Amino acid sequence: ATPNPWWANAVVYQIYPRSFQDTNGDGYGDLPGITQRLDYLADLGVDVIWLSPVYKSPQDDNGYDIADYQDIDPIFGTMDDMDELLDQAHRRGIKVVMDLVVNHTSDEHAWFQASRNREDPHADWYWWRPAKAGHEPGTPGAEPNKWGSYFGGSAWQYDPQRGEYYLHLFSRKQPDLNWENPQVRQAVFDMMNWWMDRGIDGFRMDVIVMISKTVDSEGRLPGEDGSAIADGPVGPEGYSSSVPFCVDGPRLDEFLQEMRSQVFQDRQGYLTVGEAPSLAPARSGQITDPANHELDMLFLFTQTEVDTGDSKWDIRPFRVPRLKAAMDEQQQAVAKAGWASLYFDNHDQPRIVSRWGDTSSEELRSRSAKALGLLLHMHRGTPYIYQGEELGMTNAGFTSLDQYQDLESINLYHQRVDQAHEQDPESMMAALAYMSRDNARTPMQWDSTRFAGFTAPYAPKEPWLAVNPNRDKVNAKTELRDPDSVLAFYRELIRLRHTNPVVAAGGFTLLDPDADQIYSFTRSLDQAPEPKSGPEAASVLDALPCQRLLVVVNLSSRPASLPPETAALLGLDQTGFTSMALGAVDPDRILISTYRPEQTASSLLTGRLSPWEGFVYRL
Ligand SMILES: O=C(CO[C@H]1O[C@H](CO)[C@@H](O)[C@H](O)[C@H]1O)[C@@H](O)[C@H](O)[C@H](O)CO
Ligand SMILES: [Ca+2]
């Protein structure tokens, strides 16, 4: 079998620079702050850091609205600071992946400002359309079609200077680029090559599956005057969904292949991962199949939608079988070809330990954080750790709207409560507390001081977003000293992935899909890898060819019996009693557990796992 590429065995750590480490007391994290913390990341064992955007930006969407791709925003520092970070990371063997936001730019980008003039060569670099016939431009109903923006309101904004509307799937200050225009594509590829030549190691590509929009043979968008394609139905808020026409559009593969050949053809050792909201998992097997020369891996979203209804604010109870179904579908999509990325947390998702774990006590917060980490990292794919996830950081616990900063949260509160009256204030505030993106964006908790070490206790400026008061207990300094901490556990998880080839390359097989507390699966390598010898062989067992692992996690705060298929693999029969002589369950085969191995060995003998008990067993 062709050896797996380097990133198949790598662990990526996502940094949200705004909330990571402030070094100049302005309350915002910055690049020197990241450089300062590289030893912490090296000690954790991560192979790659992915930086959310640090480019010149009016920060309307915290940097995902870029005004100059080839300059650093002063809030984060200078290009010299960027070079220093790159150099210091590489010295520690850590690669640096940047965020590529090219579905849209900022409306303050020179390209957009130029495009407002119809005579300018950039005139066709964005999606400009006239007002609907028979409607006064700029008045409700005059928009070219009924598409709604992800951040509320129409996806169209009228610009009096140009005398036309421009498309913005996200905020008004994030106009979509027109990738149909080859000059746009060339400008993007030139910018990407500029950064790759500066020594970065790849890109995470923002909403990259939205760059190809569906148009009819005349280039008309669905629903616009004269278009051969009708727009979709209008929802309760008065807008239709752009997803059927803007996600996975007709030229997506062509554009991704062109990008691959224009930027990455003659390069080694890089990583490309595309963000793919609303993409069907089956498509990930094609887009990440190396034979198609598109992307290395994708961020799919189906696992982040198992506890929501029609919208992310329509919260539903978390059910383990639904998560299993979603993850299994993603695993099967790339079983033959392609590769998966593994994530539960990022800067757009609430903290997983608050979402699906249990934070009702310090004990349960720690145990459930470990169980969820083990579950994710033992799947087949490249795991992503979001800053603070390795500490088991929790949701913010905000109770009033003015504590929130995220435009999506604030806009959607007003749209759903004040305008569309489809949700009452209490339930929307509850939805925000559970799902808002700000839950992931509270400052990193380095220690128990006033501002958690994110910024100096008596810094001139308070942190841009409130520090979570539980920083007195949940912080890196405390967990670095505690061998039983969530941090120590994550270090173990990463070590296991780096040392046990089955973890990186073994095939995935889900067990007991209907069990409602326990999530279990096996990972197996067809042919045994070379047995380890010499110092690497930590134990006699290490010397044996490891071929198959069993991963079992109780994702509940209640004890749970081992379900049938899992029990059978451990030689336990239905009654849960071991048909194997007592002691056949060999504690040495427990490679890692969220409890002490001997405790897990006794759990196995009884066939009942404790709350949030998870382990990897070498079959
Ligand atoms: O679709 C996206 C894309 O997010 C990417 O694109 C967005 C626009 O650039 C940006 O706000 C996000 O931070 C970036 O990760 C969602 O995750 C989005 O955050 C929202 O929750 C949809 O309901
Ligand atoms: Ca700062």
Side-chain angles (χ1 to χ4, degrees), residues 25-71:
D26 65 354
Y28 294 97
D30 44 56
L31 290 171
I34 300 172
T35 303
Q36 200 183 79
R37 294 292 184 178
L38 285 174
D39 289 335
Y40 166 83
L41 297 173
D43 169 66
L44 178 57
V46 301
D47 305 286
V48 183
I49 52 176
W50 148 33
L51 300 187
S52 276
V54 292
Y55 316 97
K56 193 97 182 48
S57 162
Q59 304 293 326
D60 181 57
D61 184 19
N62 292 3
Y64 280 91
D65 50 310
I66 298 170
D68 183 343
Y69 291 103
Q70 291 164 233
D71 193 6

Side-chain angles (χ1 to χ4, degrees), residues 16 50 61 64-65 99 101 104 150-151 170-171 174 204 206-207 210 275 277 301 312-313 346-349 406-408 437 441:
Y16 193 69
W50 148 33
D61 184 19
Y64 280 91
D65 50 310
D99 214 307
V101 188
H104 45 269
Y150 281 91
F151 292 157
F170 293 92
S171 88
Q174 291 169 298
R204 173 268 185 189
D206 192 62
V207 288
M210 295 178 187
E275 190 201 20
F301 277 61
K312 66 186 281 182
W313 312 109
N346 64 30
H347 63 294
D348 292 332
Q349 302 293 332
D406 170 33
L407 85 168
E408 180 193 50
R437 307 190 300 176
R441 300 174 180 189

Side-chain angles (χ1 to χ4, degrees), residues 499-516:
T499 56
N500 185 309
V502 182
V503 174
F508 172 91
T509 306
L510 183 67
L511 301 169
D512 301 301
D514 307 326
D516 59 13

Side-chain angles (χ1 to χ4, degrees), residues 175-236:
D176 284 56
L177 278 167
N178 172 15
W179 276 70
E180 303 296 314
N181 181 331
Q183 290 170 342
V184 167
R185 300 197 300 272
Q186 197 50 54
V188 169
F189 302 153
D190 294 349
M191 175 270 286
M192 294 173 74
N193 276 313
W194 183 85
W195 273 107
M196 292 302 291
D197 294 346
R198 286 189 80 86
I200 69 165
D201 306 290
F203 287 103
R204 173 268 185 189
M205 304 183 187
D206 192 62
V207 288
I208 202 68
V209 294
M210 295 178 187
I211 59 179
S212 167
K213 275 66 170 174
T214 303
V215 291
D216 67 9
S217 55
E218 306 301 312
R220 292 197 183 85
L221 290 164
E224 74 167 281
D225 290 346
S227 176
I229 308 169
D231 191 1
V234 171

